[in-house]
Amino acid sequence: MASFLSVIPPFLLSVLIFSGAVVAQGDVLELGDADFDYLAAEHNTMLVKFYAPWCGHCKKLAPDFETAATRLKGTVPLAKVDCTASPDTCGRFGVTGYPTLKIFRNGEDASSYDGPRSADGIVHFMKKQAGPNSVTLRREADLEAFVNHFDASVVGFFSGPDSGQLAEFLKAVSVMREHFRFAHTIDMTLGLKHWVDTERVLLFRPPRLSSKFEESVLRFTETITTHTLRRFIRDNIFGMCPHLTNENRDKLKGQDLLTAYYDLDYLQNPKGTNYWRNRVMKVGSQFVSQGLSFAVANRRDFVDELEEEFGLGASDGGDLPFVTIRTQQGFKYTMREEFTRDGKSLERFLEDYFAGRLKRYIKSEPIPEKNKGPVKVVVAESFEEIVNDPEKDVLIEFYAPWCGHCKSLEPKYKELAEQLYSDPNIVIAKMDATANDVPQGFDVQGFPTIYFAQAGKKDQPKRYEGAHEVKDFIKYLKRESSHVPVVSGVREDL
């Protein structure tokens, strides 16, 4: 960039800088108010990041976004707009937070980007956005090549270009293309191999996940509408035991899910990968009707999560699968017995789970031997006893040891606790949310996060949204506490 700028006449350079003309930083296009409309219109599909230079989340995303831009070069361009320098463009597209990612088609705002934000995830997601909504298949070889893919494929077989069902299919596909792969043909003979003798939509599961425990090709039998086709795909896309990845994790983890983590590698070792998956499926088929879903995952892809959520180090577990269950309520369980090749240990684990005999896994610091200070130290193992004491009003701060705002709050929070120390009905507490599991009902996304759990209403904790001065906390407690607070040894009137 420096050598390029050095050959531009000074007067022209000033014009370029003043006008905000497009600049390429690496492979990410930098657009502004002056050029966004005509440059965006030049591309069939483009992913645009709207950001602010001071935004921490934007800085975190930047390296992955740049890497993805390089890998997608020539396929889908990636661009960015600095909203502090180009407020008009950001305002027109309703940008209110950073970073905001949007997909543009021929210069028009087509949709918000709701895919993963890792480089691999962006590349994988945006490759689906390139080209037509549905690929036209003309030969049997086209069909075989399309369904022989890492992801599932949805293919419609229709009688001709004027088919009403084809029109409905293409209409549905236009709103679902961001999430699934679609193709269609108007040559019905391409479907004969799959027993298609009338207009039909088939869902092909990825060949790598083919198993004797479930069908590899599923038939959609309803009349095609966006609603019916979306429901069919949603209910069947993953099958009995999908491959959990960073890209599909959010879709899979919204359910009670058993996951077997091991050295999974469908590119280099598909046979060895399916060896353990088949054992999970064999046992899981006995329990799938009881509301538990199953998945397998590459342990290396989830090293940080396994360590943080289940205390499993990178070298723990050896070559055998490490099995966990996480419920929708956030309850966690781990299979402590070694995974046996006959599947019997997994079967016993599931029997104990459904019988309610398993002890929940809770990440917790040790319960403090001494806890007599004005601010009570809470850990996950003591949360129920202290915070959910039905007779106490409890104000609890969730903090992180590295958090600067938490450190600034500490002396004020301690002073608050000292002023209320003689009140037997109020507890001022704190918990390190990085070292302990945060219970269900307490949404902690940043630090410090403060909640009030009122006596007699422990199932309805309230998030504290007020200022962080001692007088503000006391004012809040006077209003919300179930008892009249005693401040500095003197009971105060409400």
Side-chain angles (χ1 to χ4, degrees), residues 105 110-111 114 129 133 168-180 182 225-227 229-230:
R105 300 190 189 281
S111 65
D114 61 356
Q129 308 308 307
N133 294 339
E168 288 298 321
F169 178 79
L170 294 177
K171 179 181 177 182
V173 165
S174 68
V175 298
M176 290 189 284
R177 63 164 292 165
E178 295 181 12
H179 306 287
F180 310 111
F182 294 96
T225 67
T226 300
H227 173 71
L229 187 59
R230 178 188 284 122

Side-chain angles (χ1 to χ4, degrees), residues 13 42 109 166 174-175 223 271 286 334 342 370 492:
L13 178 59
E42 293 180 353
D109 181 0
L166 171 58
S174 68
V175 298
T223 301
K271 184 176 180 180
Q286 306 171 44
T334 61
D342 61 6
K370 297 180 180 180
E492 297 216 355

Side-chain angles (χ1 to χ4, degrees), residues 261-264 272 275-276 299-300 315-322 338-339 341:
Y261 298 89
Y262 56 97
D263 188 16
L264 179 152
Y275 176 88
W276 289 115
R299 188 200 308 257
R300 292 189 298 273
S315 60
D316 294 340
D319 296 329
L320 298 175
F322 176 70
E338 187 176 272
F339 198 123
R341 296 180 184 275

Side-chain angles (χ1 to χ4, degrees), residues 141-191:
D142 296 337
L143 174 61
E144 294 302 317
F146 185 78
V147 301
N148 187 24
H149 195 271
F150 196 80
D151 295 321
S153 308
V154 181
V155 181
F157 299 83
F158 302 100
S159 57
D162 298 326
S163 165
Q165 285 290 275
L166 171 58
E168 288 298 321
F169 178 79
L170 294 177
K171 179 181 177 182
V173 165
S174 68
V175 298
M176 290 189 284
R177 63 164 292 165
E178 295 181 12
H179 306 287
F180 310 111
R181 303 179 67 250
F182 294 96
H184 67 277
T185 182
I186 54 174
D187 183 351
M188 293 291 294
T189 63
L190 298 189

Side-chain angles (χ1 to χ4, degrees), residues 396-430:
I396 180 164
E397 174 205 1
F398 297 95
Y399 72 96
W402 45 259
C403 165
H405 293 296
C406 303
K407 293 175 182 177
S408 298
L409 173 62
E410 187 174 3
K412 301 173 186 177
Y413 202 66
K414 182 179 179 182
E415 181 182 343
L416 170 68
E418 289 171 343
Q419 290 197 29
L420 294 168
Y421 189 69
S422 60
D423 191 325
N425 301 307
I426 295 180
V427 174
I428 307 299
K430 66 177 182 179

Side-chain angles (χ1 to χ4, degrees), residues 28 49 56-68 80:
V28 177
K49 174 183 70 172
H57 292 295
C58 303
K59 293 176 182 177
K60 182 178 179 181
L61 173 62
D64 283 296
F65 200 74
E66 182 68 49
T67 300
K80 62 182 180 179

